[in-house]
Structures are given as structure tokens and as C-alpha cells.
Amino acid sequence: MSAPAKVLVVDDSATMRGLITAVLSADPEVSVIGQAGDALEAREAIKKLNPDVVTLDIEMPNMNGLDFLEKIMRLRPMPVIMVSTLTHRGADASLAALEIGAFDCVGKPLPGDARPFGDLAEKVKAAARSQRRQYAQSAPVAPPPAVADFRVGRKIVAIGSSTGGVEALIAVLQKFPANCPPTVITQHMPPTFTKSFAERLNRLCAPVVQEATDGARLEIGKIYLAPGGERHLQVANVHAPCCRLIERDPVNGHRPSVDVLFDSVAELAGRNAVGVILTGMGRDGAAGLLKMRHAGARTLGQNEKTSVVYGMPRVAYELGAVEQQLPLNAIGEEILKMTAARKEGTD
């Protein structure tokens, strides 16, 4: 067995530090090697203890978590998991952290939570195994392709992602023109985060990006993000395709689940669809992407080198669900090629 993942827990609350430590210490493959109450203590602990992973509170005295994260990524890049309150403000800060380079975010528990911090230990272990990515300043937002250069066909695009998906989705969707094909997305996220993420994508991208609502018609130039929480996103109605939010148990441990979305797209659109699986832990979406490919859809997967976690794309590739495996920066353009109208008509 490989050595346990070494973790430094950083939070200004002694109670929260103790709770996080208890949750992580219950996993024999994780070792909490230190705690810190603020950024100054954390900086010294990182130098002294050399942890594999840091869990970092967003709101701290002396220096907030986002500022400290920026320094970590610039001076000593390493996997950092942000710990945030499940509020709109916390969601905005968490999304900013993911764009800076945080590995993932988890929400602080609410009273009565049966599993405080959920799968934090699994995320820590995945972070410890992840590739160490060098910090880079955010590049200026590239202008989207001109509308005149793209004639949309009749295909629906379905995208699934998890850990690392915030950065990956931004990179893909910023390549889309304002008249992009109807696009549905399931990204594993806490319930309060998806609305903020949709708003963030809407500001960054040329198409309209919104949280999916039950019954929303799939339209050219619109992107629909599955809301986190109690329901799964599907597509329905072959004559007037629309979003459906359904109450159902978690699938592959997730709600919403990428498999549930991909299964519905395979049944509704068949060959008139493109399925894309991006970075993420686990296997959610792999079986659904295979079902899409068997139904005649075009399918893409993010390659190992550019994935924060090569879990979901790897399983999909090994199942034979992925027609083409591509680096992240090539996926947006390939989607447009696959969904563009043919000269003699529409695809």
C-alpha cells in the first residue's frame, strides 16, 4: 500500500479544524500531519511539514484564503482543497479559488448533516495523486468565434465533468460562438454553487448560460447547467426538446449524475448528439457516454495530460465510449466541427 496522503488542515476555527481532522483521520490512507489557524501559521507549517495536500478555509484573519491560495500557487504549487460556507458569497469565493488553481472545494457542514464534509477524504487522496500543475496567471478572455464563421446544425451537445471541471468548462465554452448548439451540462457541485457558476459562465462566454429549469426548451445559443442538489437533469420530448429535472436516488453517488443526463441524450437524440466527458473523480458518465456512442453520437474525452483528475475520462476511454481523446484546448473547436451545419443543409 502506498504511503498515506499527508494533509495540513488550515482553518481559523479550532472546532472546525478538529472536525476536519477527525473526518480525515478515519481514513487509513490519509494522515493529518498538522493544523494551522491562519495563513501565517500555514506558511510556516508548509515549509516545515511539506504536506501533500492542504485544506484551506476561505474566510480567515490576517490574510483571506483566496489571497493565500494565490501565493501558494505562485510560489509553491500544490493541491489545495478549499473549505467554504454553503452560501452565495461562499460559492462565489469558491469558484474564484477553482479558477486560481484549487483542486476542489467542499462545503462546511450544516446542522444535522449525516456525513460532514461528504467525500473529503476521497478528494484528498485524489489530490495527492494528481499531477502538480504549475501556476499561471489567468490569460485574457479570448474573443469567441464570429457568428458568421459558424453555422449551427441540429445536434445537441452534452457535457459531463467533476473535479477540475470549473476550469475545464470555462476553457471549452469560451470557444463557443453566440449561436452555439443547444448544450446541457452536468458538473458535480454543491447545491448553492451551480447558480453562481452559471452566472460566472454567462459573463465569460458568448452564449447565454443558465441553470437548467424543468421544461426549459433547448435553444440555439443557450447552455443549460444542471442545478446541484435533489434532482437529476435529463432531456426529453423529441418534437420540442427540453430540460427535465427528475427526483431520483443518486447514481454513482451523485445527484445530478452525468450518466442520467447522457442516457437521456442517447435516447432522445441518438446520432444527432455530441457527448463530452471532462476531468473528474470516479466513473460517472462513462456508461452513459458508451450508450451515446452506441446510439450513433459523436463522443469526446479529455486526455490524461490535461485532466486535473483522469478518472471519469479514463474509465470512459477504457470502456470504448470515447471516439476521440483530446487535450482540453482542442475540445471546444472539435465540438464546433462536429455540430456545424453542412454546406448542403444541416447535419
Side-chain angles (χ1 to χ4, degrees):
M1 186 177 76
S2 59
K6 299 181 297 181
V7 187
L8 174 67
V9 175
V10 184
D11 197 293
D12 66 327
S13 164
T15 300
M16 195 59 64
R17 292 197 301 272
L19 181 56
I20 294 171
T21 297
V23 168
L24 293 178
S25 298
D27 191 313
E29 297 179 25
V30 178
S31 174
V32 177
I33 59 171
Q35 299 181 9
D38 60 26
L40 299 180
E41 290 181 12
R43 182 178 62 185
E44 295 306 313
I46 289 172
K47 292 178 182 178
K48 179 181 178 180
L49 301 173
N50 191 30
D52 298 316
V53 182
V54 171
T55 71
L56 179 60
D57 186 17
I58 285 183
E59 296 180 0
M60 297 189 301
N62 299 324
M63 180 186 295
N64 69 51
L66 289 180
D67 291 340
F68 186 50
L69 175 67
E70 188 276 335
K71 290 184 180 297
I72 291 174
M73 291 301 162
R74 179 162 46 86
L75 301 174
R76 189 170 178 166
M78 63 190 306
V80 177
I81 297 176
M82 306 303 293
V83 179
S84 169
T85 55
L86 291 173
T87 63
H88 187 82
R89 179 181 174 187
D92 288 342
S94 297
L95 292 171
L98 292 168
E99 291 180 44
I100 291 170
F103 179 83
D104 209 338
C105 292
V106 298
K108 290 187 175 181
L110 299 172
D113 276 358
R115 292 182 64 230
F117 296 106
D119 57 354
L120 176 59
E122 292 301 319
K123 290 183 178 182
V124 163
K125 290 185 287 186
R129 294 190 298 265
S130 71
Q131 302 174 29
R132 303 312 198 250
R133 295 170 299 152
Q134 292 298 312
Y135 176 80
Q137 293 286 351
S138 297
V141 176
V147 172
D149 295 338
F150 179 74
R151 295 175 60 242
V152 66
R154 295 176 179 168
K155 285 186 168 65
I156 294 171
V157 177
I159 303 176
S161 52
S162 186
T163 304
V166 167
E167 292 173 285
L169 286 168
I170 290 172
V172 170
L173 299 180
Q174 282 187 332
K175 301 291 180 67
F176 281 22
N179 62 334
C180 73
T183 301
V184 284
I185 299 171
T186 289
Q187 157 74 32
H188 298 155
M189 258 185 178
T192 54
F193 284 28
T194 47
K195 185 174 187 297
S196 292
F197 187 36
E199 291 170 351
R200 174 69 171 153
L201 289 173
N202 192 51
R203 290 192 295 269
L204 290 174
C205 304
V208 174
V209 185
Q210 61 192 52
E211 256 195 325
T213 56
D214 191 54
R217 291 279 298 271
L218 299 190
E219 298 177 1
I220 290 171
K222 290 190 177 180
I223 298 169
Y224 307 84
L225 179 69
E230 300 303 316
R231 295 184 288 179
H232 296 281
L233 174 62
Q234 292 183 325
V235 294
N237 194 342
V238 67
H239 300 296
C242 65
C243 297
R244 282 282 178 248
L245 298 178
I246 63 163
E247 295 183 1
R248 182 176 160 190
D249 290 340
V251 174
N252 301 317
H254 297 285
R255 187 169 53 202
S257 161
V258 181
D259 267 332
V260 172
L261 176 63
F262 283 176
D263 285 352
S264 70
V265 174
E267 293 171 7
L268 179 82
R271 64 184 296 273
N272 290 319
V274 173
V276 183
I277 194 158
L278 302 176
T279 174
M281 290 169 49
R283 60 184 304 116
D284 189 32
L289 193 69
L290 182 62
K291 186 172 182 178
M292 287 186 65
R293 189 172 188 189
H294 285 164
R298 309 294 300 274
T299 60
L300 301 172
Q302 187 174 350
N303 69 0
E304 181 175 8
K305 184 175 182 180
T306 63
S307 293
V308 173
V309 181
Y310 187 58
M312 288 160 50
R314 176 186 61 79
V315 177
Y317 181 74
E318 291 175 351
L319 283 179
V322 176
E323 175 188 345
Q324 290 186 62
Q325 199 169 49
L326 298 171
L328 180 61
N329 63 6
I331 290 176
E333 290 95 335
E334 191 62 30
I335 293 171
L336 296 183
K337 290 178 185 176
M338 290 179 167
T339 58
R342 295 173 179 170
K343 291 182 179 179
E344 69 272 16
T346 54
D347 192 6

